[in-house]
Amino acid sequence: MAAGTKQAGHGAHAGHGEHDEAAHIRLYTKVYITLLVLFLVSVTGPVIGDMVGSKALVLITAFGIAVVKAYLVCAHFMHLNIEKRYIGYLLITTVVFMGLFYAGVAPDVMEHHGRNWVNVAAQNEVERALKAHSEHGEGEHSAH
Amino acid sequence: MATPHEHAHPPDEHGHDHGAGHDHGHHPQSFWSKYVFSIDHKMIAMQYMFTGLAMGIIGAYFSYVFRMQLAYPGHHVPGYGVVSAAEYNMLVTNHGTVMIFWLAMPVLIAAFGNYLIPLMLGCDDMVFPRLNRLSYQIFLLSALVLIYSWFVQGGGFGGAWTAYPPLSAKSQYNLTPAGSSLWVVAVALEFVAFLIGGINFVTTAMNSRAPGMKMFDMPIVIWMIVLASMLFMGSVGPLVAGAVMLLFDQTIGTSFYDPVHGGDPILWQHLFWFFGHPEVYVVLLPATGIVAEIITVFSRKKLFAYKTVLYTAFGTGVLSFFVWAHHQFIAGIDPRMANVFTATTVLISIPIAEMMFVFVATLYGGSIRLTVPMLWALAFIAEFMIGGVTGIFLGSSGSDIYFHDTYFVLAHFHFTFVPIAFISVMAGISYWYPKMFGRMLNETLGKIHFWGTIIPFNGIFIPLFLTGMAGDHRRIYNYNNFPELATEHMVHLREFATVSLLVLLAFQVVFIINFFVSLKSGKVAGNNPWNANTLEWQAPSPPPHGNFAELPNCYRGPYEYSSPNREKDYWPQNESV
Amino acid sequence: MAKPIATLRSATNIPTGRLAVWWLLASEIVIFGGLLASYIMHRLGHPEFGDYASHTNTLLGGINTFVLLTSSYFAVRAHFEAEHGRGATAAKWLYATIGGAVAFLCIKSYEWTHEISEGFTITKNAFWSFYYIAAGLHGLHVIGGALIMFIVAQDAKKNRELQRVELVGLYWHFVDVVWIFLFPLLYIAK
């Protein structure tokens, strides 16, 4: 089946000249370079954040940038920016449902105590593990 | 050979597509390609239906055995033997698992969905026929894996269909190491089959409607099956992840659910019920869709409020994601969450109640024909409402503290599930049997079967409300071990329930006879024996490969019955003005 | 074999294959989302996971991120060629993408072999259990994606079923996006 079938969905690409083709490729390449730069920032950020002791910096660079990278891939590589809008809403909705799942479950699983309950086993395990780590000292960080 | 059809069809085209008989259907098919490896949606639907009904018989057999044990503890059960405590657990676990995953879902969604969606939408098959076949093959594999799990050393899994760890995760507790893992694998495979099938259904409904059929011209049952597929796809993911985690806990000793090593058993409960609650609406919505089709046809009346029914279905679907922890009120969840989930749970009764009211309003003033499908549809509404109102006591965390894990819960969900998995299935089969097989079922036998099912059904579960309120806990294999529950009154209630089950099972023979005898000697049905509007009735009975000689266009909605300006009291969707 | 008319209709004006892939991705978001939400809850509730995570190989994880981003770029180039009817070129870009997948898997195999030999097995503690399951599930999707891309490339190089290049590309970009989140979640220690 020829590529003609696809053009029902992406009218934007019909009847192009060479110049337009090159422009599209330049866009993809630009997005790719941007992704690489962001990636480098997202790995150096946590290193710097660790050195200055700023958790916020670590989170923003590691995860904030992850969100930006994901957006770039979704919008420009997956062409969600020219897709029907409800497809984007569908995907966002599933992400929101995952947030809902997190909100409903974290009070039980992430927390180890709440109103009238205590998760003794989990608390003991956390205590034991942290103690074991601090007893081992710096020896544990020779990973790479 | 070059086919003239391989180009996209714009939605408002007025010409007719030629579906049947062009490049397929003229070569003779072998037994294997026609019945076993078929890619025709109708044959795949039949495969799902017969596999599902066969599994349903197995699930019913399990319930026969354990109900005999409950009524006559320690006695030899005819056709089984003496039931041990471990076997009892295996029976109740697999009864629940089979009935939900291998009866309700395959018949209501996969069988009726596969059969009806292309026919009611006026196209020649699903959008991905080979994927369709693959989904059935995976489903069949899942059934075989489950059946195999009952015969391995140690026996089948006995940790309840809810499979809570640590019982389900550690073989030193469940004593069924192989059975437990095979059970998880079987359920996971079933999920994959339905994920694949769901993509097929939703895409077909969105894209392949007949020219002129807008979204709001689709029959309600199609909407419901599509919504159910979407609900399933949106909710099963975490449980798929959770099942993988459970499998690894069982087999290689990871500790996802083991708090001593950093895990948490309540995580499983949340993963399970985040899916488990939408799941009940996954099976409820197609059932209500079937009821909607039947009551409009047999009251010769438009559906009272098509869009309202749709919006209540959407509302139910969305709300169903917000209620799950009402299954965990006394599991040790944070009480503040219990408040939230009580509120949402009580709220969700509103859209479903509204849907039932719309059905009643549809019936009101209609020209009612009490055919067998109509009897089943009416019984659905009545029995489901009993299930629904008893759910309020369970959804309210205060009263649930008492009722949780008692037979009250069990009676509630059987008053909802049996209408879904049995009554609506019978409604659908008796309604669409003429289309599927070209013959009419016998009405008299159908009515005998109907009453012989409905009356005993109430006889089974109303006593169980009473025993539940009196303190009978679930998943107990012998109440004689609890003197305060072994009073004469309670023993009689349990016996009454069991005897009612025996009567109900006996009457199913009438259905089996009716089904198979009518295949050969039922009255020939013709295309449209019920004078219905929807497109499947415009195809031959049974439809050939490709469904329609000329693919139909759609000119109106599906419920134009008793239209004032027309002589005939029905107006098929494809009849041009 | 001829496709049914049903496959060729498009009442939504989205080609059927693409519509199906969006629904597939929606259900995959929920699968990975459930797993990752569970992991995050444990991670935030168990501060000792940070110490466990410091033993992951951030360098190799980072290289793999670069590999996947690059292969995603190759995939969109393949889509571009397919859209313009140049099936043979599209197939070449697909092979490059598959090359990225293979590189990813090789690096991961080396990484895991090293970690397992150091005693960081899947049963060591809950962090490592999540680590292997999450990365493993992702890896299975990489393998599946590479296989499907190979099959699509066979048709594409003969200029057949070119629309499938975009579809497999969509799936591949999704696999890339999952890793974009997996990397900071699993590898960044604190």
Side-chain angles (χ1 to χ4, degrees), chain B residues 179-180 470:
Chain B
S180 307

Side-chain angles (χ1 to χ4, degrees), chain B residues 383-434:
Chain B
E383 304 285 14
F384 184 79
M385 298 247 259
I386 297 177
V389 302
T390 51
I392 308 273
F393 298 99
L394 301 170
S396 312
S397 50
S399 45
D400 188 66
I401 293 174
Y402 181 75
F403 286 124
H404 182 80
D405 255 355
T406 65
Y407 266 76
F408 192 93
V409 176
L410 191 135
H412 155 75
F413 70 68
H414 279 87
F415 264 97
T416 50
F417 251 113
V418 172
I420 290 170
F422 197 172
I423 296 181
S424 75
V425 165
M426 287 299 150
I429 291 180
S430 56
Y431 179 59
W432 277 295
Y433 183 99

Side-chain angles (χ1 to χ4, degrees), chain B residues 10-178:
Chain B
D12 56 353
E13 181 186 277
H14 291 298
H16 289 275
D17 297 304
H18 293 271
H22 261 79
D23 3 54
H24 31 240
H26 285 312
H27 43 267
Q29 286 186 290
S30 72
F31 171 83
W32 295 101
S33 64
K34 184 163 183 212
Y35 289 106
V36 181
F37 294 110
S38 176
I39 55 171
D40 185 304
H41 69 101
K42 301 182 290 297
M43 186 54 67
I44 295 175
M46 291 291 114
Q47 291 171 334
Y48 271 112
M49 190 167 90
F50 285 107
T51 311
L53 290 174
M55 293 297 276
I57 291 176
I58 296 177
Y61 169 70
F62 287 172
S63 68
Y64 155 74
V65 175
F66 66 69
R67 275 244 57 95
M68 289 294 282
Q69 158 66 16
L70 287 170
Y72 313 109
H75 284 78
H76 170 96
V77 175
Y80 184 87
V82 176
V83 183
S84 72
E87 285 167 15
Y88 180 86
N89 291 343
M90 173 285 213
L91 289 166
V92 298
T93 300
N94 285 283
H95 166 80
T97 310
V98 162
M99 291 310 208
I100 295 171
F101 294 127
W102 279 277
L103 170 68
M105 284 181 73
V107 177
L108 282 170
I109 302 173
F112 283 121
N114 256 312
Y115 199 85
L116 296 173
I117 292 178
L119 282 169
M120 283 179 142
L121 298 183
C123 59
D124 54 341
D125 207 312
M126 289 286 185
V127 290
F128 303 121
R130 286 172 301 176
L131 203 63
N132 210 5
R133 174 180 59 186
L134 177 68
S135 75
Y136 174 73
Q137 289 168 336
I138 297 177
F139 170 75
L140 181 64
L141 176 64
S142 75
L144 294 173
V145 170
L146 185 72
I147 293 173
Y148 178 63
S149 80
W150 302 333
F151 296 102
V152 295
Q153 194 178 54
F157 176 57
W161 87 285
T162 49
Y164 284 4
L167 178 64
S168 59
K170 294 196 189 286
S171 57
Q172 76 248 41
Y173 300 144
N174 60 45
L175 308 177
T176 58

Side-chain angles (χ1 to χ4, degrees), chain A residues 11-60:
Chain A
H13 293 295
H16 268 175
E18 287 250 338
H19 170 73
D20 291 308
E21 282 199 23
H24 272 101
I25 296 194
R26 271 203 301 280
L27 172 68
Y28 296 141
T29 313
K30 265 195 266 193
V31 171
Y32 173 57
I33 304 287
T34 313
L35 285 169
L36 288 185
V37 169
L38 285 172
F39 164 62
L40 286 170
V41 174
S42 73
V43 274
T44 52
V47 174
I48 299 175
D50 260 350
M51 292 199 306
V52 305
S54 165
K55 195 158 179 181
L57 186 62
V58 175
L59 289 176
I60 290 173

Side-chain angles (χ1 to χ4, degrees), chain B residues 5 8-9 17 122-125 127-129 199 202-203 206-211 230 234 237-238 245 252-253 256 261-262 267, chain C residues 1 4-12 14-16 19-20 23-24 27 30-31 34-35 38 42 46 122-123 126 129-130 133:
Chain B
H5 313 301
H9 290 247
D17 297 304
C123 59
D124 54 341
D125 207 312
V127 290
F128 303 121
I199 292 174
V202 177
T203 312
M206 284 178 80
N207 253 1
S208 308
R209 288 167 270 138
M230 293 184 192
M245 288 158 34
I252 63 176
F256 290 108
H261 294 105
L267 175 64
Chain C
M1 64 138 251
I5 305 286
T7 316
L8 306 171
R9 284 182 174 168
S10 183
T12 57
I14 303 178
T16 301
L19 188 56
W23 281 106
L24 172 70
S27 59
V30 188
I31 295 177
L35 182 60
S38 306
H42 279 83
H46 285 266
I122 193 173
T123 49
S129 303
F130 272 110
I133 294 281

